[in-house]
Amino acid sequence: MAERRPSSFNFRALILAGLAVLALLLVLFGPMFLDRFTLNVLTRSMIYAMLAITVDLLWGFTGVLTFGQAAFFGIGAYAAAMILTHMGASPGLIALAFALAIIVPMLVGLVVGWLSFSYKATPLYATVISLVLPIVTTQVVFSGGQWTGSSSGLVGYGTLPFGLVGFFRLAGVCLLVLTVAAWFFVRSDAGKLLVAIRDNEVRCAYLGLNPQRLKIALTTVLAGVAGLAGFLFANSSGVVAPEITGFVFGTELVIWTALGGRGTIIGPVMGTIGIDYLSANLSGELPFLWNLVIGTLFVAMIILLPNGLAALVAKFLPARRGAGAMRLTNLAAAGAQVTAPEEAALLSVKDLGKTYGSLKVLEGLDFDIRPGELVSLVGPNGAGKTSLMRCLSDGTEISSGVVRVAGQEINGRTPNEIVALGVGRKFQVASVFESLAVADCLRLALAARHRPSPVTRESDLALPTAALDILRLTGLDHMLERPVADLSHGLKQSLELAMVVALEPRLILLDEPTAGLTKTERTTIGGILQKLTRELGIAAIVVEHDLDFVRTISSRVVVLHQGRLVLDGTVDAVANSELVKTIYSGGAHG
Amino acid sequence: MIVLLDIVTTAAILFVVASGLLAIFGVLKIINFAHGAWLTLGGYCAVVTTALGLNPWTALPLAFVAGALLGAITEMVIVRPLYRRPLDAILATWGLGIVIGQLITLWFGRDVQFTPNLLSGTVDLFGASYSIYRLFTIAAALIIGCAFAFLLEGTRLGLSTRAVIMNETLARALGIDVARVRLITFMIGTGLTGLAGVLLTPLTSVDPNMGVGWLIGAFMLVMVAGSSFAALAFACLIFGGAQVMVSTFVSPILGGITVAVLCALVLRVSPKGFSRG
């Protein structure tokens, strides 16, 4: 399946380019054979389709279920309509209305984004906020008196002088431009960030990216796009009413997106235009039955076909992967090679404690780690090894004491800030991005330092030498276009290690890197770790149960027992210690 | 004084409306976005009993049974495949809400229906007359609250349910039939919501969309309450109180969004809401 098939890619691209040209022709020449009613309806449907794209980018790609796009649309439409009603429709004022219709929703979007996405907020919370927003907006419109026209809305204001046909073409061109832009964006390296956040937000943070800030930025920009759609709507329809800001309209947008196919760009566009057009034609004759059918279809689709109609269609198209050959190149060594003076501690832990309520998991830990050390952290289950790793990579987890990385206190800092100090963490269960290709995962590891392109997918992948070594040793360098979901357990572990190493960390934390691996894979990982520490001067802390493995690779061993540090010394000193044999009898067979 | 009574009765009504949603969310960790449809269903049970010439009070058991039966079908067909996709469950139940709403519209028409008051008249309290029915809602809320406390603390089903809430995997390993607990909980939750729909009829008009307006408020309260009925009662008193104060002294329109806005802010500060202190 990972065979590169440039021809199939071209075929697929050809179909889509053909569709775009066809759509442009329809938009430009449609008014010659469509009647007024159809033109009217389709103008509206195409504006709604722009909103569906914004819903899809948030929900289908990034995984944030939102009902709030209706509110941004309504705010944009009302901002425009209020300027045009109360100040007039001279060219200057229309320009002002245009600007405000985009800026006001973006400002609201910024606030909503800040409210919705805080560190440790649940995904449900963003949905909750997206429900409150349209309800508040509608009530504000209702209580706006003559400014907003209250329940009857605003009507009869001056608009852009385009007429029915002009607005049809304007909406069509806007939709086409947005569709093409979104299509390129989600296939670009920067667009992969959205899917990465949906797949595994934690890993994003541990690659030094700030998922919260990315989602706030996305919400803000898409609020602006929704506002633009609102401006078009206010002009083309000549009326704004409270319903367009409301929660029910927000759910309709989600339904159209779901039926068309979330996670694709064309699906929601087609779904929205198709359903809104059919609704306009059928709901006159069978109003309740039509909604009943849509509701039933929606329920069935969510349960049986979560990716919508587009997923069905995609089955009949040739495979998407194989977009040209990905070339691996060597990344010129960056700042990470500047190592601290040898004697200075890279990591310094002073009196570290961690409690869950009244339960003490870690207590009074003190130790330093210098560059080039490979420290194994051992101890029976429940000794607090994983809690310690968590405290070292996420400053918000620390209950008491001080942890410094390269002299900087990390208490209270979020994982992405700690990654920026040069700490990389590999999780016990491989934490990668299941729906992306291997190359995309690796590129995301570089994204925090090398801004990914928002337009194209680069064909060169420049990685640090150490990461390239891992890929070559494990054979991943021949699987760059393979979807991560198809990789074996061992390969996922290696991929994650390569991603962490690609961050060029000064300290690397590994939680049971060899669990569930074969003997050969274990030896490979051990060799890589030794090379990283001895040749590149990276410090490593490895949580490990396999004492043979510990003995071969470590320069130092730290033993934890019941949340306290009981031994800290050379491999031999620890392996021969009676204390370790008693508390760790399960693993001590040497 | 009247304001104080308004606060308590408003809180009682919110509690009655939200308790069915809480029962489901607390155990199944699923948000039943068709909650409004069950309220509507309850309202139409009152319409049906009136049309049949029965005592208006018989609508209560009828609505409970109808709600629970529909709930059983819903749990088995729609909710069960979606336990691992909670956001999709919100959408699927919202879709179900549309379907139920349209079916009711097809059957009864979209006009507003009228039902006889369960309890009419007023009573003189503190020198002012007050609706007997609003006072009765306090009793209804207390009865529902106590019934849940008894179910959870005093019965075998309650014990299994608490086990499922605390640790589902362990409960399964101990041989508790988690699927059955979920089904029964869903039925109780939806039955109760149908009952709440009947209790709402004297306060609002009955039409196919009567439930939707209550959905968001109930949803927000449940988000804040987590899985605890005590927390829900507390949240209803606080936010219901705020709603009455804002409606009385500022503006009724702003009062309508008080609950949602305050709950959202509380959740921003403390993501677990009131469920942990």
Side-chain angles (χ1 to χ4, degrees):
Chain A
M1 284 307 290
E3 293 299 308
R4 284 158 196 164
R5 285 184 301 174
S7 61
S8 69
F9 171 73
N10 289 344
F11 178 55
R12 194 185 176 99
L14 217 61
I15 293 182
L16 291 166
L19 267 179
V21 172
L22 188 69
L24 188 64
L25 291 177
L26 269 180
V27 164
L28 293 181
F29 297 106
M32 296 167 81
F33 54 87
L34 295 173
D35 59 76
R36 285 185 65 83
F37 174 77
T38 311
L39 281 179
N40 243 325
V41 170
L42 282 180
T43 305
R44 187 185 73 182
S45 308
M46 290 191 294
I47 293 172
Y48 288 172
M50 293 174 71
L51 290 176
I53 292 179
T54 67
V55 170
D56 188 37
L57 286 173
L58 277 166
W59 176 46
F61 285 91
T62 319
V64 181
L65 176 58
T66 176
F67 300 105
Q69 289 308 104
F72 296 125
F73 172 73
I75 292 171
Y78 265 94
M82 282 163 73
I83 295 284
L84 298 174
T85 306
H86 299 297
M87 296 177 71
S90 69
L93 288 171
I94 289 185
L96 176 70
F98 176 74
L100 286 181
I102 294 175
I103 293 169
V104 177
M106 283 182 84
L107 290 177
V108 179
L110 192 64
V111 175
V112 167
W114 174 82
L115 264 177
S116 305
F117 308 114
S118 60
Y119 185 58
K120 289 184 179 174
T122 63
L124 195 54
Y125 181 65
T127 305
V128 169
I129 293 292
S130 84
L131 275 175
V132 175
L133 175 69
I135 290 169
V136 170
T137 311
T138 311
Q139 295 302 328
V140 169
V141 168
F142 272 126
S143 56
Q146 65 171 33
W147 287 105
T148 59
S150 197
S151 59
S152 47
L154 294 171
V155 66
Y157 46 82
T159 61
L160 286 170
F162 285 166
L164 182 61
V165 171
F167 280 121
F168 175 81
R169 288 180 176 148
L170 180 64
V173 170
C174 284
L175 172 63
L176 200 60
V177 168
L178 182 66
T179 310
V180 171
W183 194 84
F184 275 102
F185 176 66
V186 297
R187 276 160 183 75
S188 73
D189 291 326
K192 295 290 188 326
L193 276 169
L194 308 187
V195 177
I197 291 174
R198 183 189 70 195
D199 270 12
N200 192 341
E201 193 172 330
V202 174
R203 181 30 94 195
C204 285
Y206 281 96
L207 289 180
L209 301 163
N210 187 336
Q212 286 79 38
R213 195 181 297 167
L214 285 168
K215 285 194 278 189
I216 293 172
L218 189 67
T219 306
T220 310
V221 170
L222 294 179
V225 175
L228 170 70
F231 176 79
L232 289 176
F233 181 83
N235 274 283
S236 65
S237 70
V239 53
V240 291
E243 287 73 37
I244 61 166
T245 67
F247 150 72
V248 173
F249 182 49
T251 61
E252 274 181 288
L253 290 172
V254 173
I255 293 175
W256 298 334
T257 308
L259 289 178
R262 69 175 105 157
T264 66
I265 295 291
I266 313 289
V269 172
M270 297 295 198
T272 305
I273 295 179
I275 297 170
D276 191 51
Y277 177 72
L278 283 177
S279 298
N281 282 288
L282 296 179
S283 61
E285 293 161 42
L286 2 121
F288 311 126
L289 209 58
W290 170 248
N291 282 334
L292 185 67
V293 170
I294 289 289
T296 315
L297 259 180
F298 176 60
V299 176
M301 196 73 100
I302 290 284
I303 297 174
L304 303 173
L305 200 63
N307 292 322
L309 283 176
L312 268 188
V313 176
K315 277 188 187 164
F316 300 102
L317 285 177
R320 176 182 302 162
R321 295 198 185 277
M326 182 70 65
R327 277 195 315 134
L328 282 175
T329 57
N330 206 329
L331 183 69
Q337 295 294 27
V338 186
T339 39
E342 282 297 309
E343 60 276 15
L346 183 56
L347 172 77
S348 136
V349 178
K350 291 265 174 300
D351 197 30
L352 173 66
K354 168 74 185 167
T355 52
Y356 292 103
S358 59
L359 180 69
K360 282 186 184 164
V361 192
L362 294 174
E363 208 182 345
L365 296 189
D366 282 296
F367 60 90
D368 285 351
I369 288 178
R370 276 174 290 281
E373 281 194 290
L374 204 169
V375 180
S376 284
L377 189 60
V378 299
N381 284 329
K385 302 184 296 288
T386 299
S387 296
L388 174 58
M389 295 297 241
R390 202 176 290 146
C391 288
L392 297 183
S393 55
D394 180 354
T396 63
E397 294 278 333
I398 298 170
S399 305
S400 61
V402 178
V403 177
R404 287 197 177 81
V405 173
Q408 301 221 41
E409 191 175 317
I410 64 163
N411 292 40
R413 297 202 194 190
T414 51
N416 55 302
E417 295 171 319
I418 295 173
V419 171
L421 292 175
V423 179
R425 180 177 176 195
K426 199 204 148 302
F427 291 85
Q428 188 170 353
V429 177
S431 171
V432 285
F433 305 112
E434 296 280 334
S435 7
L436 293 179
V438 170
D440 296 320
C441 288
L442 290 163
R443 195 183 299 282
L444 283 166
L446 306 169
R449 289 169 300 150
H450 303 269
R451 185 174 285 269
S453 159
V455 201
T456 58
R457 186 163 183 261
E458 303 275 347
S459 58
D460 282 355
L461 180 59
L463 292 171
T465 321
L468 287 176
D469 287 345
I470 298 174
L471 297 182
R472 296 213 174 98
L473 277 172
T474 53
L476 275 169
D477 56 339
H478 297 298
M479 308 176 188
L480 291 174
E481 295 292 352
R482 192 177 284 192
V484 171
D486 294 353
L487 297 184
S488 72
H489 171 71
L491 282 177
K492 281 184 195 168
Q493 296 279 23
S494 305
L495 173 62
E496 193 193 7
L497 185 61
M499 286 160 71
V500 172
V501 168
L503 293 168
E504 298 184 275
R506 286 187 278 181
L507 169 67
I508 184 164
L509 308 172
L510 300 109
D511 203 341
E512 300 201 31
T514 64
L517 296 192
T518 63
K519 183 77 185 162
T520 338
E521 289 170 326
R522 228 180 294 186
T523 318
T524 312
I525 297 239
I528 291 166
L529 290 180
Q530 283 182 304
K531 190 172 178 211
L532 286 175
T533 49
R534 286 184 198 158
E535 291 177 20
L536 298 177
I538 295 174
I541 305 179
V542 181
V543 168
E544 196 45 73
H545 277 299
D546 179 350
L547 283 197
D548 283 338
F549 185 72
V550 167
R551 196 188 289 245
T552 7
I553 62 159
S554 325
S555 62
R556 188 175 140 201
V557 179
V558 168
V559 185
L560 280 189
H561 182 50
Q562 293 181 347
R564 289 170 175 280
L565 196 157
V566 292
L567 249 170
D568 181 354
T570 62
V571 178
D572 289 332
V574 171
N576 296 327
S577 144
E578 284 303 316
L579 183 64
V580 170
K581 283 182 184 158
T582 39
I583 64 174
Y584 203 142
S585 50
H589 48 68
Chain B
M1 217 55 231
I2 292 296
V3 172
L4 201 66
L5 275 176
D6 274 345
I7 289 176
V8 179
T9 52
T10 303
I13 294 162
L14 287 172
F15 183 84
V16 169
V17 169
S19 54
L21 194 63
L22 183 85
I24 293 168
F25 179 70
V27 181
L28 287 74
K29 303 288 175 252
I30 288 284
I31 293 152
N32 175 21
F33 242 49
H35 187 69
W38 264 278
L39 289 172
T40 313
L41 182 81
Y44 276 88
C45 284
V47 173
V48 169
T49 45
T50 313
L52 294 175
L54 297 169
N55 183 329
W57 290 95
T58 52
L60 286 174
L62 176 70
F64 187 86
V65 171
L69 284 180
L70 188 62
I73 299 168
T74 306
E75 201 276 341
M76 286 188 278
V77 178
I78 293 177
V79 178
R80 200 166 283 180
L82 298 179
Y83 280 118
R84 286 173 185 281
R85 297 190 268 148
L87 289 183
D88 281 0
I90 294 183
L91 293 175
T93 47
W94 173 256
L96 174 72
I98 296 177
V99 171
I100 296 177
Q102 296 306 322
L103 286 175
I104 288 176
T105 312
L106 280 176
W107 198 271
F108 293 95
R110 69 194 318 177
D111 304 329
V112 174
Q113 308 269 345
F114 294 96
T115 53
N117 212 334
L118 292 170
L119 285 171
S120 52
T122 57
V123 63
D124 283 337
L125 271 177
F126 313 111
S129 61
Y130 203 79
S131 151
I132 294 180
Y133 187 73
R134 283 189 76 96
L135 291 174
F136 165 74
T137 57
I138 302 176
L142 286 176
I143 292 169
I144 289 174
C146 292
F148 264 106
F150 169 74
L151 257 180
L152 275 176
E153 306 292 333
T155 64
R156 177 137 194 100
L157 174 71
L159 187 68
S160 309
T161 309
R162 277 183 293 154
V164 173
I165 293 174
M166 282 175 205
N167 188 337
E168 194 184 303
T169 323
L170 183 61
R172 206 186 292 272
L174 288 174
I176 292 172
D177 186 348
V178 175
R180 186 170 146 270
V181 171
R182 281 174 171 164
L183 177 64
I184 295 176
T185 311
F186 201 88
M187 288 175 69
I188 292 177
T190 48
L192 202 62
T193 308
L195 199 104
V198 180
L199 291 173
L200 280 179
T201 52
L203 301 167
T204 63
S205 56
V206 175
D207 66 71
N209 291 317
M210 68 176 266
V212 177
W214 292 92
L215 169 67
I216 302 300
F219 168 71
M220 298 304 288
L221 287 166
V222 167
M223 287 289 99
V224 171
S227 57
S228 151
F229 276 91
L232 179 64
F234 181 65
C236 288
L237 271 174
I238 297 282
F239 298 126
Q243 180 188 328
V244 171
M245 301 297 266
V246 172
S247 303
T248 317
F249 298 112
V250 186
S251 136
I253 292 180
L254 291 182
I257 54 176
T258 312
V259 172
V261 171
L262 287 181
C263 288
L265 292 178
V266 166
L267 286 172
R268 176 66 166 83
V269 179
S270 146
K272 292 207 181 237
F274 291 163
S275 57
R276 292 245 183 110

